[in-house]
Amino acid sequence: MDLKGTNFLIVGRAGMDFYPDPPGTRTEDATQFVSCLGGSSANIGVALVKQGCQAALVTRVSDDAIGRFCVNQLAHYGIDHTHVTPVGGEARNSLAVVETRMEDHQSVIYRNGAADFEMTVADVEAVDYAPYSALITTGTVFAADPSRTAAFRAFELAKEAGLPTIFDIDYRPYSWTSAEFAAEVLSRAGDMCDCIIGNDVEFGFMAGDYDKGLEKARALAATGKLIVYKMGEKGAITFADGQEVRTGIFATAALKPTGAGDSFMGGFIAALANGHSVRDAVLRGSANAAMVVARVGCAPAMPTTDELEAFLAEHPGPKE
């Protein structure tokens, strides 16, 4: 996968995250919360921008105070929100209530009538794809129409413009009508992409058998795709140019289990775009993930390039 530049178009949601405060508080015991930008695609955008890239988001937000909060936060982080469109009626922005704790961690996600699922083909056709280096999206965008049809149309338009397409499987059962339908749609999306990132469970899900996830990743890589097969504490196997690259994870004092996937994606793609080798890009993505799970929030926790370099200087090698 050849990235000619550092300007990325991201299709997917922006939402609001609530964190019980102070860190360690259980949601049911909380009397105050900290709010911040959330949503996988928005988080990836923040990670990219903080490491020297540009990012633009295509999505829908609710035409209310929460939707405006999301747009204001995108602007705060320097993400282009030209193609973030408000939608009225009963659509509501996604909301995640997420605890900053590892033990008995609870995350409650509100996605009923989600505004981002209202994204249309017209929304993605209004974008000029030529200035961008790649199109990035996550599996959530395919869970409902009209968003699903719009996202597939965005893939087609990106291909026509010569843009690589990058896909984080990001399977979340609560967003789908059935596991069988999800497997069919996500596999179709994967077939259209140049780069696929997912964990062992997600690749197994796409294969229709959790024991065949690695086999599925290898099969996809054999078609020329860049594949990152993540295995949690066991690290990752990256398939690139006919090679299998195994990498470990960085030890960290985690405060929460959330945010690792989005931070990995942002760090990995930013590293590739800035000329790092595939192996180094995976390690930088892994370092990003280690840093974010040790901090409060997702978007605000994304490290800058200077913070990442300082972390790598203090942690010369990952845990294999």
Side-chain angles (χ1 to χ4, degrees), residues 235 246-251 279 283 286-287 312 315-320:
R246 290 179 178 261
T247 50
I249 65 168
F250 290 88
R279 179 184 177 85
L283 291 174
S286 297
L312 290 170
H315 301 76
K319 184 173 66 175
E320 297 292 347

Side-chain angles (χ1 to χ4, degrees), residues 132-154:
Y132 297 103
S133 310
L135 174 70
I136 299 172
T137 194
T138 73
T140 308
V141 77
F142 295 101
D145 263 329
S147 175
R148 175 168 53 250
T149 300
F152 278 122
R153 178 60 177 149

Side-chain angles (χ1 to χ4, degrees), residues 80-243:
D80 182 350
H81 54 84
T82 302
H83 299 288
V84 177
T85 307
V87 57
E90 295 301 312
R92 293 290 180 266
N93 254 82
S94 61
L95 170 68
V97 183
V98 185
E99 293 176 349
T100 307
R101 50 187 285 131
M102 292 296 294
E103 184 179 354
D104 300 324
H105 174 86
Q106 300 178 104
S107 294
V108 181
I109 316 292
Y110 294 88
R111 295 281 290 149
N112 293 333
D116 54 282
F117 284 149
E118 299 298 320
M119 180 180 65
T120 66
V121 168
D123 292 340
V124 301
E125 289 183 340
V127 179
D128 177 9
Y129 290 76
Y132 297 103
S133 310
L135 174 70
I136 299 172
T137 194
T138 73
T140 308
V141 77
F142 295 101
D145 263 329
S147 175
R148 175 168 53 250
T149 300
F152 278 122
R153 178 60 177 149
F155 277 11
E156 293 171 353
L157 293 167
K159 288 290 187 185
E160 290 171 9
L163 271 61
T165 47
I166 302 166
F167 175 52
D168 188 332
I169 301 171
D170 195 27
Y171 173 54
R172 303 179 184 225
Y174 58 79
S175 294
W176 293 84
T177 53
S178 75
E180 294 76 16
F181 181 59
E184 175 189 333
V185 172
L186 294 176
S187 292
R188 178 186 165 200
D191 287 342
M192 295 178 69
C193 287
D194 300 291
C195 173
I196 306 173
I197 298 172
N199 60 37
D200 45 4
V201 173
E202 289 169 333
F203 277 104
F205 170 76
M206 289 175 69
D209 183 339
Y210 287 120
D211 293 330
K212 295 182 179 178
L214 188 55
E215 182 181 321
K216 175 71 172 180
R218 283 198 176 102
L220 287 164
T223 66
K225 302 178 190 297
L226 172 59
I227 306 292
V228 183
Y229 179 85
K230 298 185 292 184
M231 303 176 292
E233 293 184 354
K234 296 179 181 179
I237 304 173
T238 303
F239 302 86
D241 300 322
Q243 304 294 313

Side-chain angles (χ1 to χ4, degrees), residues 13-17 36-40 42-43 57 61 66 69-70 73-74 93-96 111 116:
R13 75 186 192 282
M16 176 185 272
D17 286 354
C36 58
L37 179 66
S40 53
N43 288 337
L57 190 65
V61 295
I66 307 302
F69 169 89
C70 294
Q73 285 287 295
L74 292 170
N93 254 82
S94 61
L95 170 68
R111 295 281 290 149
D116 54 282

Side-chain angles (χ1 to χ4, degrees), residues 42-61:
N43 288 337
I44 292 167
V46 173
L48 286 165
V49 170
K50 284 192 172 185
Q51 293 190 16
C53 297
Q54 295 172 276
L57 190 65
V58 184
T59 191
R60 291 261 178 156
V61 295

